[in-house]
Amino acid sequence: MKQTLKLFLITSVFLGALSCNHETKLQSEAGLSGYDKKLADSLKIDSTIIMELKQHTTASLEPFHYSLSKQFNADHTETELDPIRLNGLVFKEAPARTETLMNELQANFKAKGYFLFKVEQNFGIGGNKDVMAILKTTDQYEVIKQIKTDGINYNIDTDSLIKIVKQFDSKYSLSLTGTSGDWCEFKINKEPADWMVFAKEAYAVCPDIVDQGTGTVEALADELKKSKKLYFWWD
């Protein structure tokens, strides 16, 4: 009798847990459109990620696609040339909102196994929106690897870049906030003792941030100190 009762209790708890999980999933999917449900299923992405994202943006979600090279057509549309397609999502957002979304969602998404970042920055030029992305990983170096970011004009391939970033990360505790074919951006979590030394290190890796950017290393040091962000860009 005792063994039967014990088996009954274990079975009841197990079935209850299954029912609870099923109910939670149904509740999480209740607010999703048919398109969003198919998107989550086809990409094997947790539907709660899409649900949470929908609470912060009205942007349309698409399967991840990105191309550094684009063809601009006569009808004012764009065609991506040789796009990268990954297991994730992309959506367009106003530049004024991207930073807010990063602050509100990146840590939470990472805790759930996903990485939120900017994959295209347009700085509001021509009214163009930024493009944000979500990939199914928590490793910022894996993001750089999948996007194939490089500084090939300075003989820095993706693997070399990852090694360089790891060196900076070990000293300044960097958090990736954006990356694409020829640029990457990081939040500086550990401030350097000397911002000029830091600026010189950054300039050695990426001369374009000074030569085509701030104009002087001193100005770069000041910008790094104010923004608390490290930005590499190779033209």
Side-chain angles (χ1 to χ4, degrees), residues 119-138:
V119 73
E120 184 176 317
Q121 291 191 111
N122 291 302
F123 306 100
I125 298 173
N128 292 318
K129 293 183 176 181
D130 292 344
V131 179
M132 301 196 74
I134 298 172
L135 291 182
K136 198 171 184 180
T137 181
T138 59

Side-chain angles (χ1 to χ4, degrees), residues 4 63 82 91 125 145-146 156 175-176 199 212:
T4 302
D82 194 23
F91 60 97
I125 298 173
K145 184 176 181 179
Q146 289 192 39
I156 300 175
S175 298
L176 181 70
Q212 298 188 53

Side-chain angles (χ1 to χ4, degrees), residues 64 66 68 102 115-121 131-133 135 140-150 158 161 165 176-186 231-232 234:
F64 186 100
Y66 166 75
L68 181 62
M102 292 294 297
F115 207 101
L116 173 69
F117 62 101
K118 294 172 285 187
V119 73
E120 184 176 317
Q121 291 191 111
V131 179
M132 301 196 74
L135 291 182
Q140 62 183 12
Y141 299 111
E142 180 63 23
V143 172
I144 294 172
K145 184 176 181 179
Q146 289 192 39
I147 299 297
K148 301 179 182 179
T149 310
D150 63 45
T158 303
L161 175 61
V165 172
L176 181 70
T177 55
T179 188
S180 75
D182 59 359
W183 65 268
C184 49
E185 178 188 77
F186 304 87
Y231 186 83
F232 288 144
W234 298 270

Side-chain angles (χ1 to χ4, degrees), residues 45-60:
I45 289 176
D46 189 341
S47 60
T48 61
I49 292 293
I50 295 180
M51 278 293 296
E52 186 169 352
L53 189 59
K54 288 289 187 179
Q55 294 173 11
H56 292 80
T57 181
T58 58
S60 298

Side-chain angles (χ1 to χ4, degrees), residues 75-90:
D75 60 357
H76 303 292
T77 60
E78 297 178 358
T79 300
E80 293 182 338
L81 304 178
D82 194 23
I84 296 173
R85 301 187 186 279
L86 300 171
N87 183 22
L89 302 168
V90 290

